[in-house]
Amino acid sequence: MFNSRGRLSSPWSRRKRKHALSPQEWRNLFSSDGKLRGGGLKFLRKVRSAGVDPRVRAEVWPFLLGVYDLSTSREERQVLRTQNRKQYEKLRRQCRRILKHGANNIALKEASETSSYGGCGSFREYVDSPDSDDVVSARESLSSEERSPFLDYTDPCSALSEEDAGSVQASDPNSPALDTGSSDSDSSEDPEVSNTFRFVETRAENDPGMLLREDSTLSRTEVQPKLHNNEDFATWQRIIRLDAIRANGDWVTQSPTQAAVSDERARRFAEFVGLKDYDDLEPSKIFHAARLVAILEAYALYDPEIGYCQGMSDLLSPIITVIAEDHEAFWCFVGFMKKARHNFRLDEVGIRRQLNTVSKIIKCKDSHLYRHLEKLRAEDCFFVYRMVVVLFRRELTFEQTVCLWEVMWADQAAIRAGIGKSAWSRIRLRAPPTDDLLLYAIAASVLQRRKQIIEKYSSMDEILRECNSMAGHLDVWKLLDDAHNLVVTLHDKIKSPF
């Protein structure tokens, strides 16, 4: 029977599961120069088996999401962190220029009457960058804000008090993972993004755009920019703001510092990013929505082929809850989207491939259930569409979501690091890492309900309602345990969709 664990040695088994990676264990994983011992294998094994303690998630996630290579030293990460901060700040400056010169889209409309985004007309001059061909091809990015006034998140009009600054420190400054000194802010070079967040207009400058340097761990996804008109930009701007306002508030209890943000600071930041219709929201939710807008706009410029699509805010929300600094949250999101971006292509090729993989897993594991789905013309598994697009975000609580994602990211990090089957067998884990753990988990959630589906449901709509009703009723570790069993049995038979 599917739910039986049999003799399989599962890294997610309840009887074997230990406590999550603790702060002490995290510190002990590093050598004196700040490198993960053993190439990160022990680290990934621990996360894969039990997840991460909330107290160190902000330090651990950049490793899981590829912002930092597992082999980097503390000094190398500090250099990369500085580079990443500068790149993010430049993206935000580009967002601000677009809004400023757009004059609430009036100037953009006039520009579109005389030139297209793909030409050499006035819109490129607004961006004022040698990479503007790439920048202006984003589907959306109109903002009036530079950096979030949080964690160094200072008030836009005044510096944080020492008390406030101390209260929003994201992690232990003596962490082996990263020395969070002030040297990376470069505030003296760029007053526009300094810790005091003054209203200072920077001079026009040549800006290398959104591309990371070649030595960066997280190189930009290879995409071919698509050029869009100003109506597209306005549309994506509007959707980002609507989605940000409607963001789920279940994160509040997970981030007491952000939840305690003052009303004045939250509203000031909201004005910077052009947020509207937030009067009925609590300060913490206003601030959260403003951070979503800032980072999603920057991402739309970074990855113009995708721009912004509904659902991306669901993926970013947990990240900005855990990662206090916007530039670090941005690059974690970029790492996340290297895999998830396929979910947001307009042609939906990525979604169809993943649904096809879920269908294959069900077919290989349970032919009886699959034949029933065929009778209902539901063998394409469209009823799990939402689970694929937002990675179970709507079906799981905040804590369950990040637990699943951490295990999934650990598998993906192992693959990036070249840790293959032989390495896993040496540490007595039978299931090799897979890029598609999410798809196995989705298939497992359907297989857990095979009896109801076969005996009670006679249409795909009924199955869809059943899947949507899973929210709040899933055991994430049981789900991962069952997904593991599927990986052990089927990973050689199921071809990855990417």
Side-chain angles (χ1 to χ4, degrees), residues 28 50 65 112 114 119 229 266 312 314 318 380 468 490:
N28 291 341
L65 289 166
S112 68
T114 57
N229 59 31
M312 288 168 62
D314 288 285
D380 60 1
N468 289 342
L490 301 175

Side-chain angles (χ1 to χ4, degrees), residues 218-219 221 299 302 329-339:
L218 202 81
S219 60
T221 304
Y299 185 81
Y302 176 85
F330 171 79
W331 290 110
C332 283
F333 185 62
V334 169
F336 196 179
M337 287 294 291
K338 284 178 74 70
K339 177 73 175 176

Side-chain angles (χ1 to χ4, degrees), residues 339 349-365 370 373 379-384 388 434-444 446-447 486-487 490-498:
K339 177 73 175 176
V349 169
I351 292 292
R352 289 198 295 271
R353 288 176 179 173
Q354 292 177 84
L355 292 176
N356 185 51
T357 298
V358 174
S359 177
K360 287 180 179 178
I361 294 170
I362 294 173
K363 182 178 182 179
C364 290
K365 182 62 183 180
Y370 185 79
L373 294 178
E379 72 275 13
D380 60 1
C381 292
F382 187 81
F383 50 86
V384 298
V388 172
T434 172
D435 263 330
D436 300 317
L437 181 61
L438 172 77
L439 305 182
Y440 285 96
I442 290 172
V446 176
L447 288 162
L486 291 173
V487 173
L490 301 175
H491 73 272
D492 287 331
K493 301 177 182 178
I494 305 296
K495 184 177 180 181
S496 173
F498 302 111

Side-chain angles (χ1 to χ4, degrees), residues 27 36 42 90 117 142 174 189 242 246 312 317 338 373 391 431 477:
R27 288 191 290 270
L36 281 168
K42 184 178 179 181
K90 287 170 182 175
Y117 285 176
L142 295 169
N174 297 318
E189 297 179 10
L242 286 174
R246 296 185 299 220
M312 288 168 62
S317 184
K338 284 178 74 70
L373 294 178
L391 291 80
W477 291 105

Side-chain angles (χ1 to χ4, degrees), residues 134-158:
D134 196 27
V135 173
V136 302
S137 60
R139 296 183 188 171
E140 170 288 328
S141 188
L142 295 169
S143 172
S144 58
E145 165 275 347
E146 280 309 308
R147 286 190 62 225
S148 166
F150 189 82
L151 198 63
D152 335 4
Y153 294 92
T154 51
D155 253 348
C157 296
S158 63

Side-chain angles (χ1 to χ4, degrees), residues 184-257:
D184 62 344
S185 67
D186 293 312
S187 58
S188 61
E189 297 179 10
D190 192 349
E192 187 177 22
V193 291
S194 70
N195 286 345
T196 57
F197 205 161
R198 296 186 297 269
F199 287 93
V200 178
E201 184 67 26
T202 56
R203 68 184 185 279
E205 60 180 342
N206 289 333
D207 134 333
M210 66 290 294
L211 296 178
L212 279 173
R213 296 186 180 182
E214 292 180 359
D215 61 348
S216 170
T217 300
L218 202 81
S219 60
R220 179 176 175 178
T221 304
E222 293 292 335
V223 296
Q224 292 296 323
K226 294 184 178 180
L227 303 180
H228 299 273
N229 59 31
N230 58 293
E231 286 81 6
D232 291 316
F233 280 85
T235 298
W236 299 124
Q237 178 194 30
R238 177 179 57 83
I239 296 173
I240 283 178
R241 281 153 178 74
L242 286 174
D243 286 357
I245 289 293
R246 296 185 299 220
N248 191 309
D250 63 353
W251 62 271
V252 174
T253 58
Q254 307 293 325
S255 181
T257 304

